[in-house]
Amino acid sequence: MIKIITESKDQVSNEVIEYLLAAGVRFRRINSDIFSSFSETISNTKESECEVIWHRRAFKQLNPSEIQKYPFTYKILDEQDVVNKFIEKKNYFENNIYYGGYIEESQHNKLYDLYLAKKIGLIVPDTIITNKKSELKAFKKDYAKIITKPIKDLIRFRNKNYIYSSPGTFLIEQEHIDFLDENFAISIFQQYIEKEIEIRIFYFDGIFFSMAIFSQNDERTKIDFRNYNYAKQNRFIPFKLENTIQKKLKELLKHKKINTCSIDLILTPENEFVFLEINPQGQFGWVSKNCNYYIEKFIAEKLMINDEKIIKKRFK
């Protein structure tokens, strides 16, 4: 049985499922934003059947929505988190064919990714994590330009009639530093890397699907292509990733024990590849469509091939 854990509005999941439907294979879809009944047995006698699991987005919603209205919701969510992590660890231990994951996404640490990337020989932006103004001033003196961005995720919340959101990646000017107290909230700062192009990569089970993004042709997207200009889209084309970079990225993912993710790189005007970050459950539909990669078909075929292997093994 193929099992897909995703969200009800995730378009790439819909497209993968269309291929499964066309092939007439059995599958089960679990939408993380919708409550689903759940039971799991830990028994001395009962053995679980092997499955092919693609954990595309988020986690299983194991608590009815009515319960989440109460003041102690945070405690129930903590327990749900433990159950979701148990499910994933159990599947790995039992050698189920498991793509993606909740654990790596929930505890994702971009700082550790930078450290690992540097250790295996990838170039990374010089980075400082600090809450001291004096350290930031010293760091700024070393580089013509520096940037800051969220350590983990963008801040976004609603208050009455307004939605507040952090700006993502942006350049730090001297006036920003002057405004700070001697100690401030812990933050990340990096040297600004000049770009020839930005590269978005989707990785699945040993295969890299890479796309070049010509973000430098637009002032709005120069600092970060995610400052989207919907009126004037960046140009996107397929990109062939060098074998040496592929090997280093595979080594990095081996350390992290993940078999699918999205990766962001920069190619500098000096033709050097610079590692930026990994997104364990990153979007890839736009990479697939802009480059005619048909990644959704590739994933569906991988799931079906592995499901067939399990079926044959079961009836040997």
Side-chain angles (χ1 to χ4, degrees), residues 6-7 22 85 134 195 207 227 256 276 280 291 298 312:
T6 185
E7 295 170 322
K85 288 176 178 175
S134 56
K195 310 174 186 73
I207 304 298
N227 298 323
K256 289 176 63 62
L276 294 181
C291 298
F298 173 82
K312 287 181 178 178

Side-chain angles (χ1 to χ4, degrees), residues 64-73:
S65 56
E66 293 80 6
I67 292 178
Q68 298 179 40
K69 299 174 184 177
Y70 293 97
F72 51 79
T73 298

Side-chain angles (χ1 to χ4, degrees), residues 68-86:
Q68 298 179 40
K69 299 174 184 177
Y70 293 97
F72 51 79
T73 298
Y74 73 95
K75 182 61 180 175
I76 293 176
L77 292 177
D78 283 346
E79 300 210 331
Q80 176 177 271
D81 177 69
V82 171
V83 175
N84 272 291
K85 288 176 178 175
F86 156 70

Side-chain angles (χ1 to χ4, degrees), residues 122-125 193 264-268 272-276:
L122 287 164
I123 300 172
V124 301
I193 305 294
D264 290 332
L265 303 179
I266 286 172
L267 181 64
T268 71
E272 289 185 322
F273 291 92
V274 180
F275 171 85
L276 294 181

